[in-house]
Amino acid sequence: MGSNSALPTTARAFATGGKRKTAGIIVIGDEILNGSTTDTNSSFLCRRLHHRGVLVKKITVVGDTIPEIAADVAEFSRNYDLVLTTGGVGPTHDDRTYEAIAAAFGDTLRIDDDLQAVFEDVLSKYKQRPDTAQAIQKFCSIPSSATLLWGDKVTGARKFPCVKTHNVVALPGVPNFCESGYDQLENALIPISDTSPRGHCQGPRC
Amino acid sequence: MGSNSALPTTARAFATGGKRKTAGIIVIGDEILNGSTTDTNSSFLCRRLHHRGVLVKKITVVGDTIPEIAADVAEFSRNYDLVLTTGGVGPTHDDRTYEAIAAAFGDTLRIDDDLQAVFEDVLSKYKQRPDTAQAIQKFCSIPSSATLLWGDKVTGARKFPCVKTHNVVALPGVPNFCESGYDQLENALIPISDTSPRGHCQGPRC
């Protein structure tokens, strides 16, 4: 029901300036599938992407299983311009998104020094736990072909990078981290052409 | 994150009585993908299915496009014991779920007399609209191989049937209709074996 082509006025000029960019969203976590947590990230992302003129084509919710996540990442990466994942990027054993993204692209994992420095800085504020080394290993092992996105410098907010591999960007699962992560990256992920001034989003969230 | 294997106590006996039944959920509607409506049906269904011992393996959200819905219906039907769809079963032109389910199974559509009788009874309470004949045609054309599920007679509630085609059950998209539809069908869709009395769900919602 409803019409996905009914763009908000603010996004219409942007979207009609060329072929509409497409996106897919992959929500990762057993806690969504067993009903103990209600996903709100996909709804937030849909609203924001639509407002920006991006056509969200599909959302999928999968559990913490590498082959299942990897299959969706590979399919979505082929089919859509931009793929956003949420969840599964923490430091515990059931956070498997980076491994799955690597698997989707036939990639290996590497420890990223910059990510490790950020993570150790965060950890330094807390009492050391016995599994710290393991947590660092888990949290900072990203696909070898990945880059870190540090967000929009205009905001001046403290930065925590998101991991981008080809056209797939991994956002955190915790809603306020997911939302602030997307906020910081929006301009970089969906650039507004300088030649289409009417395309600039004038809505209350932009 | 989280563990899908951590069943509530009430469902554990049921689930361990045999191989756990699996389910997939397909949420249909452009209004979800463009962010104008937030899906709550999948979260409701996940909680209820998990409480009943059913392992929800995947959720997908797709727009009102027959080939895309049909592709997911066919894949989910092959992969999971039970498939629940929500949305796209109304009488307007963009409600395409029945056509898509028929396409998924290489089936044709037929007008169902029982469904038409129910629908005309509902319509009789409202002022006739010029498009009534078209609405009946749309609402009551279901896959030829489909059957109607009339719900749990114990409830005594007024019945509005849901459409079942093979292992795929089409529920309405409006949340209170979806929830009451599932409530009425739960015992039929997920029977509790008479030989496993400990399997009976004793939770607050059962």
Side-chain angles (χ1 to χ4, degrees), chain A residues 1-4 29-35 37-38 43 46-47 50 56-64 68 72 87-88 94-95 173, chain B residues 1-4 28-35 37-38 43 46-47 50 56-64 68 72 88 94-95 173:
Chain A
M1 295 181 288
S3 172
N4 209 2
D30 288 344
E31 73 278 15
I32 312 291
L33 295 177
N34 69 25
T37 298
T38 298
S43 183
C46 283
R47 284 194 302 277
H50 178 68
V56 178
K57 293 286 288 180
K58 192 169 186 175
I59 303 166
T60 187
V61 184
V62 290
D64 299 307
E68 294 181 13
D72 277 348
D94 56 356
D95 290 310
Chain B
M1 294 180 288
S3 172
N4 208 4
I28 297 156
D30 289 343
E31 73 278 15
I32 313 293
L33 295 177
N34 69 26
T37 298
T38 298
S43 182
C46 284
R47 287 194 300 275
H50 178 69
V56 178
K57 293 285 287 179
K58 192 169 185 175
I59 304 166
T60 187
V61 185
V62 289
D64 301 306
E68 293 181 13
D72 277 347
D94 56 355
D95 291 309

Side-chain angles (χ1 to χ4, degrees), chain A residues 167-184:
Chain A
N167 60 340
V168 179
V169 177
L171 295 166
V174 176
N176 58 351
F177 293 152
C178 175
E179 294 179 12
S180 64
Y182 175 83
D183 272 340
Q184 289 191 20

Side-chain angles (χ1 to χ4, degrees), chain B residues 24-165:
Chain B
I25 298 169
I26 303 174
V27 179
I28 297 156
D30 289 343
E31 73 278 15
I32 313 293
L33 295 177
N34 69 26
S36 62
T37 298
T38 298
D39 163 54
T40 59
N41 291 333
S42 65
S43 182
F44 165 82
L45 293 171
C46 284
R47 287 194 300 275
R48 297 296 296 272
L49 290 164
H50 178 69
H51 198 69
R52 200 81 172 194
V54 176
L55 187 63
V56 178
K57 293 285 287 179
K58 192 169 185 175
I59 304 166
T60 187
V61 185
V62 289
D64 301 306
T65 310
I66 291 174
E68 293 181 13
I69 304 168
D72 277 347
V73 167
E75 180 190 329
F76 277 43
S77 177
R78 282 194 304 272
N79 291 342
Y80 312 124
D81 298 317
L82 174 65
V83 181
L84 300 177
T85 75
T86 81
V89 297
T92 58
H93 71 283
D94 56 355
D95 291 309
R96 293 170 175 148
T97 297
Y98 295 147
E99 289 170 83
I101 292 174
F105 293 115
D107 205 353
T108 54
L109 291 171
R110 65 175 170 84
I111 296 277
D112 186 272
D113 294 339
D114 290 337
L115 194 55
Q116 183 168 345
V118 170
F119 189 57
E120 286 178 340
D121 182 48
V122 171
L123 279 185
S124 70
K125 298 177 175 56
Y126 298 91
K127 186 179 178 183
Q128 295 292 304
R129 296 171 304 164
D131 63 348
T132 297
Q134 188 181 341
I136 290 174
Q137 173 81 23
K138 185 76 185 169
F139 191 83
C140 305
S141 293
I142 65 174
S144 295
S145 60
T147 55
L148 299 185
L149 301 181
W150 293 89
D152 187 348
K153 291 177 182 173
V154 174
T155 67
R158 189 187 182 291
K159 303 298 186 301
F160 202 99
C162 293
V163 170
K164 182 179 182 186
T165 313

